[in-house]
Amino acid sequence: MIISLLFGLIFINSGLNKFFYYMPIPDDLPEKVLKTMEAFNSIGWVNPLVALVEILGGLLFIPGKTRALGAIVIFPVMVGIIVHHLVVAPSGLAVPLVLFGILLWVIIENRKRYFPMVKS
């Protein structure tokens, strides 16, 4: 439960930060990361969409009853984070890999809940 709470709060915090920009941007970010952030901001709808998915997924991930749904909601965002770090900023890959491991663990633990979605 504590891991799920922390996982959910991380994504809620990340989503809220995309709306309110309360966390300072580190000075030592690689140029590629800054360019990626500028590109997302210039599109206009990407950050709010990702923020809403992160907040919703984080909220759903915390209670046990909705954790399986929260994991599926967060999964595409988490894949994007992993790919971003692999391609643009490999030095920051440790934390996303831990979060991805937690996410996969929750998905595997709840696999029986997903079967009705793919049964024919």
Side-chain angles (χ1 to χ4, degrees):
M1 177 60 192
I2 292 172
I3 292 173
S4 297
L5 175 64
L6 293 174
F7 185 94
L9 289 175
I10 287 170
F11 278 90
I12 293 167
N13 182 55
S14 178
L16 289 173
N17 187 58
K18 287 177 178 60
F19 285 120
F20 301 113
Y21 301 102
Y22 53 84
M23 292 190 304
I25 298 172
D27 295 330
D28 60 346
L29 281 181
E31 185 66 28
K32 287 181 179 181
V33 173
L34 291 173
K35 286 183 180 182
T36 303
M37 290 171 61
E38 288 173 17
F40 282 176
N41 287 332
S42 70
I43 294 171
W45 59 267
V46 172
N47 272 347
L49 176 63
V50 172
L52 287 173
V53 170
E54 287 176 337
I55 293 167
L56 177 64
L59 288 170
L60 290 169
F61 200 89
I62 294 171
K65 188 174 184 175
T66 59
R67 191 168 297 136
L69 178 58
I72 293 301
V73 169
I74 290 176
F75 186 79
V77 173
M78 196 70 238
V79 169
I81 292 168
I82 295 290
V83 170
H84 169 77
H85 279 282
L86 285 172
V87 173
V88 178
S91 63
L93 192 58
V95 172
L97 283 177
V98 170
L99 292 174
F100 193 62
I102 293 167
L103 183 63
L104 288 178
W105 169 62
V106 168
I107 289 172
I108 290 168
E109 286 289 315
N110 289 285
R111 64 189 174 274
K112 290 180 182 175
R113 291 183 176 188
Y114 306 125
F115 289 154
M117 293 188 296
V118 293
K119 279 188 176 178
S120 52

